[in-house]
Amino acid sequence: MTALIFRLVFFALTLGAASIVGQMAYGHQGAVLFAIGAAVLNYAVQVRSGRKVAAWLDDFTPENIPRVTGWWDDLAAKLFRYLRLHQRQQQALSNALVSFRTAAQALPDGVVTLNAQGHISWCNDTAQDHLGLKLGTDIGQPLINLVRNPAFHKYISSRSWEQPLVMSAPRSRSKILSVQLVSYGDNQVLVLTRDVTKVEKLERMRRDFIANVSHELKTPLTVLSGFLETIRDLPLSPEQQKEYLNLMYTQANRMQNLVEDLLALSALESAPSASEHGETVDLSQIAQRTVDDAMQLSGGKHHMEVHIAPGLLAMGNGAEVLSAFSNIVTNAVRYTPENGAISVSLTRTENELGRACAAFVVKDTGIGISAEHIPRLTERFYRVDRSRSRESGGTGLGLAIVKHVVQRHDGELDIQSKPNQGSTFTILMPLAKAAGATVTNTPEDAAA
């Protein structure tokens, strides 16, 4: 206000001075003309200054503030401070938005923002992968039209989002997603997606494991209970009692084998790598021990062909290797009919990476396995023929144990089989690198 009064006084003094000069030079009429001229000149200067300010506001840049006179100078200074503050606020908001989107892109979960109408405002790369979206073309589109899943449509329309929805990914049925919707702002919606495929797979394995264990234990327990009840309530001859006790012993032994295999499998899954934390074991001696046991189990009913190269050493756990080798050879004996042929060999070879390995190969002329069953043979309790497996005394965990032993020793397991043409099981076990390695874990240690 003070500056405005000062400029008005200055303008009045200017007019007065111009009037005095004009009156001294040209009289009264000259004074009027000089005063009018001074006023017109001042008006022109103010108009020119106003135009400079207006042009500056059209293309505002803090560095190019116009040079103006009069009260326009005060106005330009105030506008400059206001626009500079506004510019800083806009830059801060822009930086915050960029920071938010960068953080959202780094999230392992998918993020989609929807406006009040349910149209896509933005999404990160993970959400694009989970829901099959393309931000460049799908922005502004209704999400419910792009994710064609009846369960998702029902979920998003229910407005009851306390619990997440578990559903298959739109473009990959093997991928399982957890989808959670959250309201925020002015009727906006945040869609969060998470890949829970592994979690769901583990949960399914847990359910299957409990169901299988319960099923495997139920039969022998039922048999034991039935025989115990019979012995308790009925007068039996000594021969009958002996027969029932033998049957009870068989079922109890079956349960014991099952528990032992479960404990062994659990220990294998939680133990560190045997190839890094194990000892030097003689694979040749272990293979020979396995063959000797197989011949006793066969009782001369099969034609056995054996070729074991001597002195093949590996880093690992002898008891585990013995268990893996024995499982494969024992299966060959159990599932090969009488007079069938079984070949067992242990030779030096190389894997695909050129690393020296021992190849333990068991080939039989048994019943064989169909191709659709082979990928699942190493699953817990998976049986091609349940009745035949139970008759042979198997627990359904043998090949699962073999798989984990091989993995712990950085080896490879290969299964080739055709129905009625036999099977070939191959284990590749990396050999010990030290040429002068001494055996610290023998088959006798493993058996102990």
Side-chain angles (χ1 to χ4, degrees):
M1 181 62 72
T2 303
L4 179 60
I5 295 175
F6 173 78
R7 295 188 187 282
L8 290 175
V9 171
F10 179 77
F11 179 63
L13 292 175
T14 301
L15 291 179
S19 177
I20 293 173
V21 173
Q23 186 174 7
M24 292 175 61
Y26 302 103
H28 180 70
Q29 186 176 7
V32 174
L33 291 175
F34 267 78
I36 293 174
V40 170
L41 179 61
N42 183 72
Y43 174 76
V45 171
Q46 299 300 326
V47 169
R48 185 169 181 272
S49 297
R51 288 179 176 176
K52 286 184 178 182
V53 172
W56 175 59
L57 292 176
D58 288 339
D59 187 19
F60 171 70
T61 52
E63 297 79 10
N64 297 329
I65 184 170
R67 295 182 179 181
V68 292
T69 59
W71 61 275
W72 287 105
D73 186 33
D74 293 336
L75 177 61
K78 292 180 179 180
L79 287 173
F80 171 79
R81 288 192 294 271
Y82 169 77
L83 292 175
R84 188 60 181 268
L85 177 62
H86 178 71
Q87 187 182 55
R88 289 174 179 172
Q89 292 174 342
Q90 290 290 333
Q91 186 63 41
L93 291 174
S94 178
N95 292 339
L97 180 60
V98 171
S99 178
F100 164 77
R101 289 188 173 180
T102 302
Q105 284 287 12
L107 289 174
D109 298 338
V111 179
V112 183
T113 56
L114 306 179
N115 60 19
Q117 289 73 40
H119 297 178
I120 298 174
S121 301
W122 181 82
C123 65
N124 65 358
D125 293 340
T126 306
Q128 295 183 62
D129 177 61
H130 286 176
L131 301 177
L133 304 176
K134 294 182 179 179
L135 186 59
T137 57
D138 293 340
I139 190 168
Q141 297 295 321
L143 180 62
I144 199 170
N145 291 347
L146 300 175
V147 181
R148 300 186 179 277
N149 186 304
F152 178 75
H153 288 194
K154 183 178 180 181
Y155 178 71
I156 197 173
S157 302
S158 67
R159 309 295 297 186
S160 178
W161 305 327
E162 289 79 9
Q163 298 296 326
L165 169 69
V166 178
M167 69 178 201
S168 299
R171 295 187 179 179
S172 177
R173 295 298 177 185
S174 61
K175 182 182 293 185
I176 307 299
L177 300 178
S178 172
V179 182
Q180 178 83 57
L181 273 63
V182 181
S183 298
Y184 76 100
D186 187 14
N187 293 325
Q188 294 171 294
V189 176
L190 190 67
V191 182
L192 304 175
T193 63
R194 173 173 296 179
D195 187 347
V196 294
T197 305
K198 292 183 179 179
V199 176
E200 287 295 310
K201 184 178 180 180
L202 288 174
E203 178 62 21
R204 183 170 61 252
M205 289 176 61
R206 184 191 66 83
R207 292 194 300 265
D208 293 344
F209 175 75
I210 293 175
N212 285 325
V213 170
S214 301
H215 180 73
E216 293 294 331
L217 291 175
K218 183 178 180 180
T219 300
L221 283 174
T222 301
V223 173
L224 283 172
S225 299
F227 286 148
L228 287 172
E229 183 178 353
T230 301
I231 294 175
R232 183 192 65 185
D233 298 338
L234 297 177
L236 301 175
S237 65
E239 293 76 10
Q240 289 177 318
Q241 289 184 3
K242 184 177 181 180
E243 179 184 0
Y244 288 170
L245 288 174
N246 286 335
L247 292 173
M248 291 167 61
Y249 175 79
T250 301
Q251 297 301 323
N253 191 52
R254 177 181 169 188
M255 287 193 295
Q256 182 178 359
N257 291 338
L258 177 61
V259 171
E260 289 177 353
D261 282 353
L262 286 172
L263 292 175
L265 189 58
S266 176
L268 289 172
E269 291 175 337
S270 59
S273 173
S275 61
E276 296 180 2
H277 301 84
E279 300 174 324
T280 305
V281 296
D282 191 327
L283 299 180
S284 301
Q285 290 186 21
I286 292 177
Q288 187 60 55
R289 170 68 179 274
T290 302
V291 170
D292 294 340
D293 293 342
M295 287 183 175
Q296 291 183 5
L297 179 64
S298 172
K301 298 177 182 179
H302 303 90
H303 302 287
M304 302 286 293
E305 181 180 347
V306 181
H307 174 68
I308 298 177
L312 297 182
L313 308 180
M315 297 300 297
N317 183 292
E320 294 179 8
V321 175
L322 178 61
S323 173
F325 285 8
S326 295
N327 264 298
I328 293 179
V329 178
T330 300
N331 283 344
V333 174
R334 286 174 174 170
Y335 298 113
T336 301
E338 292 187 18
N339 298 320
I342 299 175
S343 169
V344 180
S345 66
L346 180 71
T347 58
R348 183 186 179 92
T349 185
E350 292 183 352
N351 61 11
E352 295 180 353
L353 301 178
R355 183 177 180 181
C357 295
F360 182 72
V361 182
V362 179
K363 185 176 182 180
D364 62 60
T365 58
I367 59 177
I369 306 166
S370 299
E372 65 269 18
H373 297 293
I374 293 178
R376 301 190 60 188
L377 286 179
T378 57
E379 294 181 11
R380 298 176 180 180
F381 298 110
Y382 185 80
R383 292 188 174 97
V384 177
D385 187 335
R386 289 185 175 273
S387 61
R388 184 185 295 270
S389 179
R390 288 199 180 93
E391 290 173 0
S392 63
T395 63
L397 297 173
L399 289 179
I401 292 175
V402 171
K403 180 189 72 172
H404 282 84
V405 169
V406 172
Q407 289 177 345
R408 276 178 32 78
H409 288 77
D410 296 333
E412 302 174 25
L413 174 64
D414 180 70
I415 303 173
Q416 302 291 331
S417 183
K418 291 183 179 180
N420 302 318
Q421 296 185 27
S423 305
T424 302
F425 287 76
T426 303
I427 294 178
L428 290 182
M429 196 79 71
L431 294 175
K433 295 181 180 180
T438 57
V439 179
T440 57
N441 202 326
T442 65
E444 289 73 18
D445 298 331

